[in-house]
Amino acid sequence: MIEKTVAELSAAMTSGDISSVELTQSYLDRIHKANDSLNAFITVCDDTALEQARVADKSRAQGNQNPLLGIPLAHKDIFCTTGIKTTCGSKMLHNFISPYNATVVDKFNQAGVVTLGKTNMDEFAMGSSNETSFFGPVRNPWDLEKVPGGSSGGSAAAVAADLCAMATGTDTGGSIRQPAAFCGVTGFKPSYGRVSRWGMIAFASSLDQAGPICKSAEDAALMMNVMAGIDLKDSTSADREVEDYTATLSDSVKGLRIGIPKQHFTEGLSADVEKSIREALREYEAAGAILKEINLPNSHLSVPAYYVVAPAEASANLSRFDGVRYGHRCDNPLDLEDMYKRSRSEGFGDEVKRRILIGTYALSAGFYDAYYRKAQKIRRLIKNDFDEAFKEVDVIAGPTSPHTAFGIGAKTDPVTMYLEDIYTIAVNLAGLPGISIPAGFSNDLPIGLHIVGPDFGESKVLNAAHQFQLFTDWHKAKPAAKGGI
Ligand code: GLN
């Protein structure tokens, strides 16, 4: 049962084939068996999960028909949860318990989901491999010597290895989509503002967005029906009607205009990935979609612009971790300044410190115009490129990552790591929705197809992804069947 999608599990519970308590116990057993090798979970909530499952079973018996009722989920450890530690993958917050829930957590609780625990992640969501976590790297279920991607690598590995039915993630530059690609699962980043950021520990506030990591586009739509919506506690959440994201899943892709950015098929893209992506695009064509080459002329500027904007915002957001109110505090501080200095130098890891330094420098007087303002102008150019493209096409498709999962410890140079998100980062800079879905293998490692939509075009993206999953089976492949865990 644990390998099934949320939609299938929901049907199995409705027909009485399985209870939420039985299902939750199966996932907990699986976590206790596999987590030692995967390190996907930082915290597992055996008792409260079973209690929530009992409540869900009772509620179902009384006629509650919420499709997510009793489905076991894992939250990325960036979402604040009352009663469960929220570490953000950092020593700084290694024992932090939030006094409130993130809005996303509240919404899932109201839908009656079971929270199995909190998943491992790159420290403060900074990374592409999960190697910056204070709690150690997550391993890829398809090959334990490979990274799962990052920063939501714990969530992606947990879904891929059936440690949970679905998980939450966050994506600032690619952190939902790239790990989804590396682990062979479905990961969706909604438009900026579609999902509340309240209670989600901030990395780069103008880019961060929460989204689902799961086994199918249909499951992503079911999760989005819970997650989306305006939140008065988040002034950047959008006051737009929430669609039923499942309503248009079955629309045909006949006549769908798919833009293929020529910049995403140049040097740097591995031959195997290119072959699978071209094959996937042919599948769409066979189903009646129309492929059209498009131009995103400023896409080469997206990584440099991001690495000014994101560290600048991070340096401001992370100033709150000073050892005073919460988080790590050094032993025996001599005075206030000593406490700030030592608490922060002991609490943060190297990558986080690097970003704080870059960001503080970029925002400092005299440099603001040269860096931050310039990066914001580039951001506008990137958005304009997408706006132009979407005059001619309905969605844009290409590879999620230039290659498959790489070895743990293989990338030591920060800039090489930053280039990991070469195809995903522009989408965050422009605030658009994007999904990664499984589309093939190279040497038994999954390949992700990236589909991007216009502003608030989540339904279009989910529909295109779901249709692909109707005519292909890549998303059904399991690591166990290929020698993985
Ligand atoms: N890999 C990118 C970074 O390190 C993106 C991370 C993310 O999306 N949270 O900043």
Side-chain angles (χ1 to χ4, degrees):
M1 246 335 156
I2 57 173
E3 70 290 346
K4 295 203 177 306
T5 63
V6 170
E8 290 163 345
L9 292 174
S10 189
M13 280 195 274
T14 306
S15 64
D17 287 351
I18 195 163
S19 69
S20 175
V21 168
E22 288 166 324
L23 195 55
T24 301
Q25 191 60 59
S26 305
Y27 281 113
L28 289 170
D29 292 346
R30 173 82 178 133
I31 293 172
H32 291 301
K33 194 160 155 259
N35 200 47
D36 274 354
S37 7
L38 292 175
N39 199 24
F41 277 81
I42 293 175
T43 306
V44 184
C45 310
D46 299 68
D47 296 344
T48 48
L50 286 167
E51 184 49 36
Q52 287 170 334
R54 276 190 282 274
V55 172
D57 283 336
K58 213 179 269 168
S59 179
R60 190 176 293 274
Q62 286 163 355
N64 184 339
Q65 293 183 346
N66 193 310
L68 295 192
L69 181 66
I71 305 280
L73 155 142
H75 282 300
K76 183 177 183 180
D77 210 11
I78 198 168
F79 292 95
C80 285
T81 44
T82 57
I84 315 170
K85 264 187 328 185
T86 301
T87 69
C88 221
S90 182
K91 179 178 178 186
M92 182 55 92
L93 292 175
H94 72 280
N95 55 5
F96 173 65
I97 297 195
S98 166
Y100 54 83
N101 277 333
T103 297
V104 163
V105 171
D106 269 340
K107 283 178 171 245
F108 276 117
N109 287 347
Q110 278 151 19
V113 306
V114 169
T115 304
L116 292 168
K118 308 287 292 286
T119 57
N120 203 346
M121 54 180 285
D122 278 302
E123 185 177 9
F124 285 100
M126 297 174 190
S128 297
S129 66
N130 239 283
E131 294 167 295
T132 73
S133 170
F134 173 65
F135 301 90
V138 175
R139 291 172 181 272
N140 190 316
W142 295 89
D143 177 347
L144 296 177
E145 298 310 314
K146 299 278 195 291
V147 304
S151 64
S152 313
S155 288
V159 171
D162 298 325
L163 271 54
C164 57
M166 57 181 178
T168 52
T170 62
D171 191 312
T172 305
S175 278
I176 287 177
R177 292 161 288 158
Q178 184 250 19
F182 280 14
C183 291
V185 296
T186 297
F188 180 54
K189 181 202 96 74
S191 305
Y192 183 77
R194 183 65 298 183
V195 174
S196 167
R197 290 186 299 110
W198 200 79
M200 192 176 108
I201 295 172
F203 163 11
S205 307
S206 75
L207 301 160
D208 299 341
Q209 188 58 197
I213 297 184
C214 47
K215 295 176 186 175
S216 69
E218 182 183 21
D219 285 2
L222 288 167
M223 289 178 75
M224 281 301 293
N225 279 356
V226 172
M227 298 172 82
I230 185 172
D231 177 7
L232 297 180
K233 295 189 202 127
D234 172 6
S235 60
T236 63
S237 71
D239 187 5
R240 286 173 80 117
E241 205 191 324
V242 176
E243 298 156 56
D244 172 359
Y245 296 106
T246 62
T248 48
L249 288 178
S250 48
D251 290 359
S252 153
V253 292
K254 201 164 187 310
L256 182 79
R257 297 165 305 164
I258 304 180
I260 318 295
K262 60 176 178 218
Q263 286 82 0
H264 292 192
F265 290 86
T266 50
E267 54 171 324
L269 176 61
S270 90
D272 286 0
V273 173
E274 170 158 10
K275 190 163 162 278
S276 287
I277 299 303
R278 298 238 183 244
E279 187 60 40
L281 295 171
R282 271 194 293 276
E283 298 268 8
Y284 272 109
E285 221 173 8
I290 302 152
L291 306 185
K292 189 175 185 334
E293 190 178 81
I294 59 156
N295 193 10
L296 297 174
N298 292 295
S299 55
H300 63 291
L301 299 174
S302 63
V303 172
Y306 172 92
Y307 278 98
V308 172
V309 174
E313 295 181 11
S315 70
N317 277 325
L318 270 58
S319 66
R320 73 191 65 175
F321 302 107
D322 56 7
V324 177
R325 284 151 298 189
Y326 41 69
H328 174 74
R329 180 184 293 177
C330 67
D331 286 336
N332 309 318
L334 297 174
D335 53 27
L336 184 65
E337 197 174 317
D338 182 49
M339 187 187 74
Y340 286 156
K341 275 191 190 154
R342 280 203 290 128
S343 299
R344 285 170 70 82
S345 37
E346 292 167 11
F348 292 136
D350 288 349
E351 184 57 32
V352 173
K353 285 178 188 159
R354 183 176 296 122
R355 309 265 179 130
I356 293 173
L357 286 173
I358 297 171
T360 309
Y361 179 82
L363 290 179
S364 54
F367 293 117
Y368 182 88
D369 284 346
Y371 296 110
Y372 193 72
R373 193 187 302 278
K374 199 167 199 174
Q376 292 289 35
K377 287 182 180 167
I378 291 172
R379 198 169 173 178
R380 168 53 60 186
L381 295 177
I382 288 169
K383 175 79 167 81
N384 290 349
D385 287 352
F386 279 111
D387 288 348
E388 278 306 305
F390 282 119
K391 285 182 187 158
E392 294 173 33
V393 297
D394 301 306
V395 293
I396 294 173
T400 306
S401 165
H403 44 242
T404 54
F406 50 89
I408 292 177
K411 286 189 199 263
T412 46
D413 163 46
V415 176
T416 321
M417 195 65 93
Y418 297 169
L419 287 168
E420 272 304 292
D421 296 310
I422 185 115
Y423 304 138
T424 52
I425 269 183
V427 173
N428 299 73
L429 290 167
L432 306 175
I435 199 165
S436 179
I437 51 174
F441 288 91
S442 165
N443 293 326
D444 287 341
L445 290 170
I447 290 169
L449 170 70
H450 190 208
I451 305 170
V452 179
D455 274 332
F456 294 91
E458 354 287 306
S459 287
K460 260 271 153 288
V461 173
L462 291 166
N463 162 241
H466 176 68
Q467 290 299 308
F468 185 75
Q469 293 183 335
L470 289 181
F471 48 74
T472 61
D473 278 337
W474 301 115
H475 61 297
K476 294 187 183 152
K478 290 286 167 190
K482 290 197 174 256
I485 196 147

